Amino acid sequence: MTIARVALPVAADSAFDYWLPAGLAIERGALVRVRLGRRALVGVVVDIVATTNVSPEKLQPVTAVVREMAALPADLLDLARFVSDYYQEPLGLVLAQMLPPFGAEPAALARPRAAASAQRLTSEGRSALPQELARAPRARALFEQWCNAPGALLTGDDIALLPSHLKRVLRRWADAGWIEEAAEPRQPSSGVPAGGRMLNDDQRKAVAAIEAARDGFAPFLLDGVTGSGKTDVYLAAAAACIARRRQALLLVPEINLTPQFAQRIADMLPGRCTVTLHSRLAAGVRRRCWRQAADGAADLVLGTRLAVFTPMPRLGLVVVDEEHDASFKQQDGVHYHGRDVAVWRARQRGVPIVLGSATPSLETLVNAERGHYRELSLPQRAVAPARLPEIEFFGSRDGAATDGIGGKLLAAIETRIERGEQSLVFINRRGFAPSLLCSSCGWQAGCTRCSARLVVHRDAGVLRCHHCGHAERLPRACPECGNVDLQPLGRGTQRLERALAQRFPAARIARIDRDSTRRVGAFATMRDRVEAGEIDVLVGTQMLAKGHDFPRLTLVGVLGADNALYSADFRATERLAALLFQVAGRAGRAALSGEVMVETDFPTHPLFRALSAHDYRAFARALQAERRVACLPPYAYLALLAAEAPKRDAVDAFLAAVHMTGRDIAGDECSAVEVFPPVPAVLARRAGMERGQVLAQSADRAALQRFLPRWRSAIAARPGRRVRWSLDVDPLGFA
Ligand SMILES: [Zn+2]
Ligand SMILES: [Zn+2]
């Protein structure tokens, strides 16, 4: 009898055995349909064997083979195994994570291609469609894809592959004038050299070094100040890789924020087949892109962290842009770090990998110091006249503060408005004010389900919890003492927007945060307006910090920077530094020089001194020294076991046992591992659940890796299912 060992998308440590009916030919990596109890599931065949321990009467058959998906190649199965072992995640869940959504529309790819012409989104469409699509998620996904496509153009092939209900939608959009026919993008014959701008000396050297290392695993840190043209290096290296008939994989932190990227690729790699992969693509499109990568038709795969799992038979180069960015780490479901998995994959496939950043993570810097990664640097800004901005500091009690905006900053904004230049005011808090306070008895509005304050959202007239989504009406009087004088405390983006509008009534002010961009396409529209010079002052959260070139932006104000300096999270200052250096890089990127004004009461903090000197490395060195003393990453390895339950007692008892078990295992044979006593989570209560955690730490990664599977299986074997828990290996922070 032939037995298929199938990894299923369930939280189980091992694969499940099924017998293979005669006539069903399969191979390792094939996708099969099976039953588990009453559920019909799709799993991946990880092995084919002749015997099983399952008794014959219990052994079930493989129901069918999923033919619309090719079998996963062996290197992807190995990659899944690595992720499963390293991150302590069930193999079946890891494999499920790797695959695009499938099965719902199996016929989509078999259908012959109808002759459809390319369609471009019109500007009317761009402004009218967002309202139309509020309740149509699938059409909305299509619209977003359109907004982010190069030239707002979907090709005839893209359109031919859409399911029929979306094609009907398109006919309606065409009738309304929201889309129009357009010429197909040029498809020059192969062998055309990459276009785009000329590379400077540093860029050329970097590309040559990457290309010279093409025959084996070679990790590079590409360290380039903001605006130094890292993207040109990536794309030139990709072009060289593709010219050798190999595939390039380019990972970026957030694809919806970087449509310029797709445009640059189209410009620099004309005629090459580029596919995009991220979770917000329509399922059919994502399947098609995945398959084009898997069968080798795609030359370049551009995607977010999940694209690291794309099968690519001719892989020749991996690039991770903004490698320090926290969004490469998946925080829920299967915990994995896309950048670290990318490095493993490059080693597995024996190809170069480029990690690019203006503010490299400490992990990557230490790897470079130790000689594991080779460093390439781009010290100059690519556009010749652009200079690094002046950095200035002002105190939180600076002069005539208007709703929390210092007088100096207001004066600087005024000058920009007069000159017709743009300003950006940045604060990492959305809403109107982070809290509501009774001036008489000291009551503050808190969330009943979380250990957190409720945020004032004045426009909507509500108090909202940013952790669980709970919302309630703004009270007219204090629920404790009846006092009607309730004060919004602190400042958020909405409050700043209002204050600026009052101070500069003629200025065109826009706010960009999660609330203002919730409507589909709103972000793209706002970005277009900024680029077109229709905005004078932008107020927003960190959404603004990533990858945008606004040539008329000459002033950046940063408020509330001190919040992160004394945070309980050991990575908070590193993140703040990355953010400040990025934001500073936004000012004065073209011909106009820029200025950055940071509100802080600690201007001599090493971070701010380094910022003034435009010397990220100086700050990184200070931070490295701190981490080394404190035995924190990258000088130690961590695993965080987090647990939650409705009752505090249950969490505490569970974590006490988890701690004891861990200490026993560490004491027996993993003495290099230290297991710390349980502590409440930073947010001790969220959405009605009490939360806590236990940290395991070791200076020896291998020792921690030996310890973790034993610890996890001991915890999993405990009776009692009242407590939800998860293990996060290499956590980015303490939740
Ligand atoms: Zn009161
Ligand atoms: Zn809440």
Side-chain angles (χ1 to χ4, degrees):
M1 185 153 52
T2 310
I3 306 292
R5 204 148 269 177
V6 182
L8 294 174
V10 293
D13 276 348
S14 46
F16 296 80
D17 286 357
Y18 292 86
W19 63 272
L20 201 62
L24 265 192
I26 54 164
E27 52 189 316
R28 266 179 96 228
L31 271 67
V32 291
R33 294 183 194 280
V34 295
R35 299 196 71 81
L36 182 70
R38 294 178 167 193
R39 286 194 289 169
L41 295 173
V42 172
V44 177
V45 176
V46 291
D47 222 343
I48 296 166
V49 293
T51 56
T52 174
N53 294 330
V54 181
S55 59
E57 67 276 11
K58 284 198 178 154
L59 195 63
Q60 298 221 40
V62 167
T63 326
V65 179
V66 179
R67 293 286 174 205
E68 69 259 27
M69 297 286 290
L72 280 177
D75 71 305
L76 261 273
L77 290 179
D78 291 345
L79 182 67
R81 176 70 68 187
F82 160 73
V83 171
S84 165
D85 289 346
Y86 185 83
Y87 292 102
Q88 297 291 310
E89 299 283 3
L91 182 62
L93 290 180
V94 175
L95 284 162
Q97 174 84 53
M98 288 183 160
L99 296 163
F102 60 89
E105 301 156 61
L109 270 120
R111 199 179 301 145
R113 288 183 177 188
S117 57
Q119 300 277 340
R120 176 182 289 115
L121 198 60
T122 62
S123 53
E124 295 80 35
R126 218 174 248 229
S127 51
L129 274 165
Q131 283 94 352
E132 288 285 310
L133 298 175
R135 300 231 177 100
R138 291 220 254 180
R140 188 167 65 200
L142 177 66
F143 172 67
E144 285 187 3
Q145 185 190 342
W146 222 312
C147 286
N148 289 328
L153 186 110
L154 286 199
T155 65
D157 280 357
D158 288 332
I159 290 165
L161 285 167
L162 292 172
S164 48
H165 72 275
L166 282 182
K167 283 188 184 145
R168 282 196 298 276
V169 168
L170 288 197
R171 279 195 287 276
R172 214 163 51 76
W173 290 5
D175 291 343
W178 293 335
I179 55 176
E180 62 188 10
E181 236 171 73
E184 288 280 342
R186 279 175 304 124
Q187 296 283 339
S189 55
S190 59
V192 173
R197 47 186 116 168
M198 293 287 284
L199 300 182
N200 64 30
D201 274 356
D202 295 320
Q203 290 172 319
R204 250 198 310 277
K205 270 184 213 152
V207 175
I210 298 162
E211 185 55 13
R214 66 193 182 197
D215 291 327
F217 171 60
F220 292 95
L221 160 59
L222 179 65
D223 177 6
V225 295
T226 313
S228 62
K230 290 187 289 294
T231 305
D232 293 331
V233 172
Y234 306 149
L235 295 184
C241 162
I242 293 165
R244 290 185 276 115
R245 310 217 40 75
R246 303 286 292 268
Q247 294 170 292
L249 172 63
L250 175 45
L251 302 179
V252 294
E254 272 176 68
I255 214 148
N256 286 311
L257 297 185
T258 57
Q260 300 102 314
F261 224 113
Q263 184 62 57
R264 292 274 281 284
I265 290 174
D267 292 347
M268 273 190 82
L269 303 170
R272 300 306 193 180
C273 173
T274 297
V275 297
T276 308
L277 281 167
H278 56 88
S279 57
R280 291 171 80 183
L281 284 179
V285 176
R286 193 165 143 204
R287 270 201 304 279
R288 191 245 307 161
C289 292
W290 195 87
R291 214 162 312 182
Q292 282 182 312
D295 66 20
D299 296 309
L300 183 109
V301 174
L302 170 70
T304 49
R305 59 176 185 246
L306 62 83
V308 74
F309 297 124
T310 315
M312 296 173 72
R314 299 187 286 111
L315 183 67
L317 173 72
V318 182
V319 174
V320 181
D321 184 33
E322 308 293 356
E323 63 86 28
H324 64 277
D325 199 292
S327 55
F328 283 116
K329 177 75 193 275
Q330 177 143 304
Q331 305 282 19
D332 41 41
V334 174
H335 297 83
Y336 68 92
H337 199 301
R339 174 199 63 211
D340 297 348
V341 174
V343 172
W344 194 89
R345 191 162 186 209
R347 176 181 290 127
Q348 174 197 33
R349 296 291 297 270
V351 300
I353 177 167
V354 180
L355 307 178
S357 178
T359 54
S361 63
L362 295 197
E363 277 74 7
T364 296
L365 285 177
V366 166
N367 272 317
E369 271 169 22
R370 290 177 179 161
H372 302 226
Y373 295 176
R374 191 168 147 202
E375 209 173 321
L376 305 169
S377 84
L378 302 177
Q380 302 297 324
R381 287 192 156 192
V383 184
R387 286 188 307 272
L388 291 167
E390 294 287 321
I391 313 282
E392 266 196 68
F393 300 97
F394 60 97
S396 62
R397 280 175 285 273
D398 164 42
T402 304
D403 266 308
I405 310 175
K408 261 194 196 173
L409 180 56
L410 283 174
I413 293 172
E414 187 161 27
T415 315
R416 294 318 188 286
I417 295 173
E418 283 162 5
R419 282 199 231 141
E421 296 169 10
Q422 293 171 322
S423 313
L424 183 165
V425 182
F426 173 88
I427 187 164
N428 219 353
R429 283 239 164 93
R430 65 192 170 88
F432 184 82
S435 173
L436 186 68
L437 173 78
C438 169
S439 54
S440 164
C441 75
W443 169 87
Q444 283 197 42
C447 178
T448 50
R449 310 175 65 219
C450 307
S451 48
R453 302 261 152 77
L454 291 174
V455 178
V456 181
H457 284 253
R458 235 170 110 126
D459 302 353
V462 295
L463 290 169
R464 189 170 285 146
C465 175
H466 285 188
H467 299 285
C468 71
H470 165 80
E472 58 187 65
R473 259 190 189 192
L474 264 176
R476 286 166 196 280
C478 171
E480 295 287 323
C481 72
N483 170 29
V484 292
D485 185 24
L486 296 177
Q487 303 286 340
L489 201 66
R491 57 212 166 151
T493 46
Q494 292 177 12
R495 189 171 208 167
L496 293 182
E497 181 189 22
R498 197 188 62 156
L500 287 165
Q502 282 167 353
R503 174 70 192 257
F504 306 115
R508 297 159 301 175
I509 297 167
R511 172 166 59 87
I512 297 192
D513 58 25
R514 207 132 55 81
D515 299 309
S516 75
T517 55
R518 192 155 287 158
R519 235 186 45 214
V520 129
F523 189 85
T525 309
M526 204 88 87
R527 192 184 53 225
D528 291 350
R529 290 182 60 205
V530 178
E531 269 170 18
E534 294 169 18
I535 303 287
D536 301 310
V537 186
L538 263 172
V539 178
T541 56
Q542 79 259 32
M543 286 182 88
L544 284 172
K546 287 180 190 177
H548 303 290
D549 266 314
F550 297 139
R552 296 204 64 76
L553 180 72
T554 58
L555 172 68
V556 176
V558 180
L559 301 177
D562 289 343
N563 287 332
L565 289 184
Y566 302 96
S567 159
D569 182 351
F570 74 90
R571 287 190 204 263
T573 39
E574 184 182 351
R575 274 199 297 269
L576 173 65
L579 194 69
L580 286 177
F581 277 84
Q582 295 279 338
V583 169
R586 299 275 88 87
R589 290 189 73 161
L592 302 165
S593 64
E595 185 181 12
V596 176
M597 299 181 71
V598 182
E599 178 197 61
T600 176
D601 291 326
F602 309 94
T604 57
H605 187 283
L607 165 54
F608 298 127
R609 281 217 295 258
L611 186 67
S612 306
H614 298 283
D615 188 355
Y616 174 75
R617 288 301 180 90
F619 172 67
R621 278 192 297 274
L623 205 52
Q624 276 174 257
E626 271 179 33
R627 298 267 186 93
R628 192 183 283 118
V629 170
C631 275
L632 285 168
Y635 302 99
Y637 300 92
L638 306 179
L640 189 70
L641 189 131
E644 59 178 30
K647 293 263 184 292
R648 175 50 61 187
D649 289 355
V651 182
D652 289 348
F654 175 82
L655 288 175
V658 160
H659 174 230
M660 289 289 284
T661 312
R663 280 194 16 191
D664 288 348
I665 298 170
D668 282 352
E669 50 215 282
C670 302
S671 58
V673 176
E674 192 168 357
V675 184
F676 292 95
V679 289
V682 175
L683 192 66
R685 193 172 138 82
R686 187 174 69 191
M689 300 289 265
E690 301 290 339
R691 311 162 75 229
Q693 54 202 26
V694 169
L695 186 70
Q697 179 197 56
S698 179
D700 179 354
R701 186 180 227 160
L704 187 65
Q705 280 290 314
R706 282 194 301 277
F707 164 81
L708 289 175
R710 305 186 36 145
W711 194 33
R712 192 177 60 89
S713 44
I715 298 165
R718 281 178 50 81
R721 295 263 163 255
R722 285 275 169 75
V723 177
R724 277 209 303 243
W725 61 276
S726 67
L727 190 57
D728 187 0
V729 180
D730 300 338
L732 275 196
F734 300 145

